Amino acid sequence: MAARADEILDGIRTWVEIESFSSDAAAVNRMMDRAEADWRGTGLDVARIPGRDGFGDHLMMTEPGADPNAKGVLVLCHLDTVHPIGTLAGDLPFRVDGDEAFGPGIYDMKGGAYLAFQAYREIAANGDAPRLPLRFLYTADEEVGSNTSVDLIEREGRRAAYVLVTEPARDGGQVVSARKGVGRYVIRAEGRPAHSGSRHGEGRSAIVEMAHQIQRIEGATDYDRGVTFNIGQINGGTAENVVPQHCEATIDMRIATVADGKHFDAWLRSLEAATPDVTVTVTGELNRPPYEKTEAGARLLGHARQLAAEIGFTLQDTYTGGASDGNFVADDVATLDGLGVDGEGAHTLEERCYISSFEPRKELLKRLMQTLQ
């Protein structure tokens, strides 16, 4: 029997009330403990992949006896959130206001991760046999770049015919059919220190040089091309009376195409100092490639639209500047993202989901799992 929205909400609440800030491995693993116990109740094989580098564990669920080499359906989720421990007891407690349920990570993306679990639980309870092997991957570090899970995601992507990503829906229930790629860099300037009063002319300010570089980098933003640069943090100098020798800043780069990713990566690395006797270096890389639209992805979207119409709603798609783990696989595998709950306020203290979205979104996930071939 299909779960009602209030029953799904109870399950989502249980997961939301286990806070799982990305950088707190113990907290993330408490969430993984709960998810692991829930998934073991479905009869699937559950593998726990130990975390590393200070991050939590990952979970992989597969059908017992399934051919490990057979192309299947990969359902991709993450259980870490951006909210520090204590948010639940402080500024964002779980609460319900009409059709809206609030809580840390409820929209991005514990709601969608739970819908995937509920959809499969109903498939198992009904004795249905999906046409392709189903595999579920829950990761622990998506919100901080997926550095400890990317190899696992790419490995599972290689044995998938389709990838379904339960990141939240956008703007009234739209799924995501393309995303920008993300580059993360650090630019450093090295100048020459000097006393700011008696030897100012002998100094070479790394901060002044960084000001030139910031203008140059931010000026490369091209909205029509889908390219943006953001200097998110800056740090430099040692004291008010010292010409600063060091300065560094972080760069967030977003690009719409693989070609632009290569072009602007090379451009950043080629930056030279505008100030004599100052050196500039750039380190970093493209963290996630662009998730561009493909013919295979378009066919998957068309199939999802047909299923949604049968369920009783119209499914629209959108393009977003935010990246997800779907970016790692979309170039090679038919991928559909934004299949989680509808809502708004991701990464804020007003994060919420719409309870009315639970049943149709869960039903869409379930039918995709059942019908893809």
Side-chain angles (χ1 to χ4, degrees):
M1 180 180 295
R4 302 187 311 271
D6 60 332
E7 295 172 320
I8 296 172
L9 179 61
D10 287 342
I12 292 175
R13 177 177 185 171
T14 299
W15 284 21
V16 167
E17 290 186 334
I18 304 173
E19 292 181 284
S20 50
F21 182 44
S22 305
S23 299
D24 190 327
V28 172
N29 283 343
R30 286 193 291 271
M31 181 63 247
M32 291 294 176
D33 290 343
R34 178 58 195 241
E36 179 179 3
D38 286 345
W39 274 102
R40 288 193 184 280
T42 67
L44 290 184
D45 289 338
V46 180
R48 183 108 170 207
I49 298 96
R52 59 179 174 84
D53 302 335
F55 293 98
D57 300 344
H58 313 296
L59 290 179
M60 186 78 208
M61 282 67 68
T62 56
E63 295 174 297
D67 181 352
N69 298 312
K71 292 286 188 178
V73 178
L74 173 64
V75 183
L76 191 53
C77 314
H78 71 84
L79 288 177
D80 62 313
T81 82
V82 301
H83 300 282
I85 306 304
T87 304
L88 186 73
D91 295 325
L92 188 53
F94 177 87
R95 64 184 176 91
V96 175
D97 183 1
D99 187 44
E100 298 180 336
F102 295 76
I106 198 167
Y107 174 58
D108 184 13
M109 61 175 283
K110 288 185 179 178
Y114 189 87
L115 287 190
F117 163 69
Q118 180 61 36
Y120 181 78
R121 183 160 65 171
E122 292 179 14
I123 290 172
N126 294 333
D128 297 331
R131 299 177 184 182
L132 292 177
L134 296 176
R135 303 180 182 109
F136 300 83
L137 177 59
Y138 282 31
T139 65
D141 63 346
E142 191 274 345
E143 296 291 5
V144 288
S146 304
N147 291 327
T148 72
S149 57
V150 59
D151 291 344
L152 185 60
I153 294 164
E154 291 178 341
R155 184 195 76 188
E156 293 305 321
R158 287 192 291 271
R159 59 175 187 155
Y162 304 94
V163 176
L164 308 177
V165 187
T166 63
E167 288 283 354
R170 298 294 194 276
D171 302 327
Q174 297 177 94
V175 291
V176 176
S177 57
R179 292 179 179 270
K180 286 185 179 182
V182 181
R184 295 285 168 82
Y185 299 86
V186 176
I187 180 169
R188 295 180 175 88
E190 179 79 11
R192 181 193 301 155
H195 192 287
S196 66
S198 60
R199 293 288 188 268
H200 187 276
E202 296 177 6
R204 298 292 183 268
S205 172
I207 289 179
V208 170
E209 174 59 33
M210 190 61 72
H212 289 298
Q213 297 298 336
I214 289 172
Q215 291 293 324
R216 182 181 295 173
I217 294 166
E218 292 266 3
T221 290
D222 186 336
Y223 295 119
D224 292 336
R225 191 171 175 174
V227 175
T228 61
F229 289 91
N230 184 66
I231 305 297
Q233 294 177 307
I234 185 168
N235 182 60
T238 56
E240 289 82 354
N241 61 349
V242 178
V243 176
Q245 180 181 2
H246 309 292
C247 188
E248 68 176 37
T250 62
I251 306 168
D252 177 285
M253 178 182 76
R254 306 281 167 142
I255 35 79
T257 67
V258 172
D260 274 348
K262 293 178 180 178
H263 170 78
F264 285 104
D265 177 86
W267 176 73
L268 284 171
R269 297 178 191 283
S270 72
L271 291 175
E272 296 181 350
T275 308
D277 304 321
V278 177
T279 59
V280 168
T281 57
V282 175
T283 58
E285 62 186 354
L286 197 64
N287 174 256
R288 284 185 171 91
Y291 166 0
E292 298 186 63
K293 292 189 176 184
T294 64
E295 291 185 9
R299 289 193 294 271
L300 175 56
L301 173 61
H303 180 63
R305 282 178 168 159
Q306 180 180 346
L307 293 175
E310 294 170 1
I311 294 167
F313 68 99
T314 300
L315 188 67
Q316 301 293 337
D317 71 306
T318 190
Y319 168 78
T320 179
S324 83
D325 285 340
N327 287 60
F328 293 123
V329 296
D331 190 48
D332 299 313
V333 187
T335 300
L336 190 59
D337 205 332
L339 286 163
V341 298
D342 193 12
E344 58 185 312
H347 297 197
T348 76
L349 295 177
E350 293 296 323
E351 184 169 348
R352 82 226 30 202
C353 62
Y354 304 140
I355 299 168
S356 57
S357 73
F358 293 172
E359 292 184 58
R361 310 287 296 185
K362 179 265 300 176
E363 191 65 21
L364 176 59
L365 274 170
K366 183 168 71 172
R367 295 196 188 186
L368 283 166
M369 293 176 195
Q370 292 171 317
T371 61
L372 288 172
Q373 60 182 340

